[in-house]
Amino acid sequence: MRNRAIPFLALAVAGLLAAGAAEAQAAGSIFQVVATPNTATAPISNDLLTGTASTSTKDVWAVGFATDPGNTDHTLAEHWNGTQWSVSPTPDGTSGSQLAAVAAVSPTNAWAVGLQNSDQPIASNTTLIEHWNGSTWSIVPSPNPDTEGDVLTGVTATSANDVWAAGYFTTGGGTEILPLFEHWNGTAWSVVSVPAVDSSVSFVHSITAVSPTNVWAVGYQIDDSSGHSDDLILHWDGTRWTDQPILPIGQVTLQSVHAVSANDVWAVGTSLGATGGDSTNLALHWNGSAWTSVNIPNVDTPNQGINLLESVTALSSTDVWAVGAATGSAGVNQNMIEHWNGSTWSIVPAANQDPQGDNSNTLFSVVATGPGSLTAVGSWSSLQQGNPGSRTLALTTTRG
């Protein structure tokens, strides 16, 4: 999404334009593409799913946005009832609106976050938080710490009275971008302050909670001297947020974090190495005392193609999954799925909406929905077929 000024999905959307969807399974893959609806049906319009959450195999949410031909964004939420995906109406904010992430507490309690005024200059962006009460989505008032651009990119919950939203805000006349955290206590959302971080430009992309006193958030920060990107990892101990030491692993961005337990947390993203270069996969692990880099393979890509991991989830400590995309033989993104078996990461064959490999596919989010069951969502395109417009994408498996 991973992220994103204009707002947070401009980079992820690049090259994702397209047509409709049908159920398909790639040869050798345990994943299959499942049909998802699209609200933007006109050419040169877009539908993307960027976040997903679940309470069971029959209660899965996916959120994102649809862009109309006039380039105005509209919130998008879709629900899986165990049989099919359907659109669940969501309100827009004051202007163009996007949803980035979703967290589900129960079938009658879910939260989605993003931004409004996405069709305005970045300084006009404000936070957007919506709540599902079991029958309808509604906008819930959310604070904005500044008036120069406020964006929410992630959300997590441990209970109905303990929900966190994360993102970033712009201040100092546009010279600083700082981490933003908001907390729901069961009654209202409030901004929770963050101590000074190492950089004046810092983006938070994802957040996960082990308990009310153990929450992790990740993203990246731009070194004020070199201009290179470094990992950004922050931790909440129940009292305050603290910035974790930068790891000596070169230029990186972290896109997603998922906690299996207090001593088992994964973060994934991309790395450009110490001096810059091809985009390669990155996996970091917290063992309860330190973060370390864990070797993770890359898809062989042509002509300096990219590997990028967008999201991570887990069925258990020995059954962890990460998704994203890598440049395929046709020079466009193809879905990428990786699996951790407790000792090593390996690439798993991924299904794509276009098995021929000439339409771009990218997975932005993955969630464990039940024993052995996973759902991943994203977007695919058929620009090469002359029908510009991205369309929603969902992959599922019950053999994870």
Side-chain angles (χ1 to χ4, degrees):
M1 208 219 358
R2 322 113 270 287
N3 273 59
R4 344 168 305 171
I6 237 182
F8 38 85
L9 284 169
L11 297 178
V13 174
L16 289 177
L17 301 169
E23 190 164 314
Q25 185 166 352
S29 177
I30 63 172
F31 289 84
Q32 66 178 13
V33 177
V34 178
T36 49
N38 291 277
T39 60
T41 57
I44 320 196
S45 58
N46 304 298
D47 288 76
L48 299 95
L49 298 174
T50 59
T52 185
S54 169
T55 66
S56 73
T57 56
K58 297 182 179 180
D59 181 34
V60 186
W61 285 103
V63 301
F65 62 94
T67 305
D68 63 31
N71 205 34
T72 297
D73 298 326
H74 305 278
T75 58
L76 174 63
E78 300 191 4
H79 184 259
W80 173 260
N81 63 3
T83 304
Q84 65 180 4
W85 287 95
S86 61
V87 173
S88 182
T90 47
D92 285 336
T94 56
S95 184
S97 303
Q98 298 184 359
L99 295 176
V102 60
V105 180
S106 72
T108 60
N109 190 350
W111 293 92
V113 303
L115 65 85
Q116 50 192 328
N117 301 328
S118 62
D119 57 351
Q120 304 296 318
I122 293 174
S124 300
N125 293 167
T126 58
T127 59
L128 175 64
I129 298 181
E130 302 197 7
H131 181 253
W132 171 257
N133 64 4
S135 59
T136 58
W137 286 96
S138 60
I139 295 176
V140 177
S142 55
N144 291 277
D146 210 289
T147 60
E148 300 180 36
D150 304 83
V151 177
L152 293 174
T153 57
V155 61
T156 190
T158 66
S159 69
N161 299 325
D162 182 36
V163 187
W164 284 95
Y168 50 88
F169 70 98
T170 305
T171 188
T175 61
E176 292 183 291
I177 300 175
L178 302 175
L180 169 60
F181 292 102
E182 301 192 2
H183 184 258
W184 173 261
N185 62 4
T187 303
W189 286 94
S190 60
V191 173
V192 179
S193 62
V194 180
V197 294
D198 294 325
S199 168
S200 61
V201 178
S202 301
F203 300 88
V204 177
H205 287 173
S206 179
I207 187 168
T208 186
V210 181
S211 72
T213 59
N214 192 350
V215 184
W216 291 96
V218 303
Y220 73 96
Q221 53 191 318
I222 304 299
D223 185 276
D224 291 334
S225 299
S226 69
H228 293 165
S229 60
D230 294 317
D231 60 274
L232 176 65
I233 304 176
L234 300 114
H235 183 256
W236 171 260
D237 63 4
T239 303
R240 64 193 297 266
W241 284 97
T242 55
D243 184 15
Q244 305 299 295
I246 294 174
L247 299 175
I249 53 177
Q251 301 181 53
V252 303
T253 63
L254 294 175
Q255 305 286 31
S256 178
V257 63
H258 179 81
V260 184
S261 68
N263 300 324
D264 187 10
V265 185
W266 286 97
V268 300
T270 60
S271 172
L272 297 178
T275 58
D278 293 348
S279 171
T280 59
N281 293 324
L282 174 68
L284 303 181
H285 184 256
W286 171 260
N287 64 3
S289 59
W291 284 94
T292 57
S293 179
V294 179
N295 185 56
I296 188 167
N298 292 280
V299 174
D300 290 334
T301 61
N303 302 321
Q304 293 185 320
I306 63 169
N307 280 257
L308 55 94
L309 289 174
E310 296 280 357
S311 182
V312 62
T313 193
L315 292 162
S316 71
S317 61
T318 58
D319 196 3
V320 184
W321 296 83
V323 304
T327 306
S329 58
V332 297
N333 285 357
Q334 295 287 277
N335 293 327
M336 178 172 57
I337 301 175
E338 304 231 13
H339 179 249
W340 171 261
N341 64 3
S343 59
T344 59
W345 283 97
S346 61
I347 296 171
V348 175
N352 287 277
Q353 175 57 34
D354 169 48
Q356 287 73 40
D358 58 357
N359 291 339
S360 183
N361 283 246
T362 299
L363 296 173
F364 294 129
S365 184
V366 63
V367 65
T369 61
S373 298
L374 300 159
T375 293
V377 300
S379 184
W380 73 284
S381 89
S382 62
L383 176 63
Q384 293 76 14
Q385 297 176 9
N387 181 23
S390 63
R391 298 295 178 256
T392 58
L393 174 67
L395 272 59
T396 63
T397 184
T398 58
R399 297 156 55 192

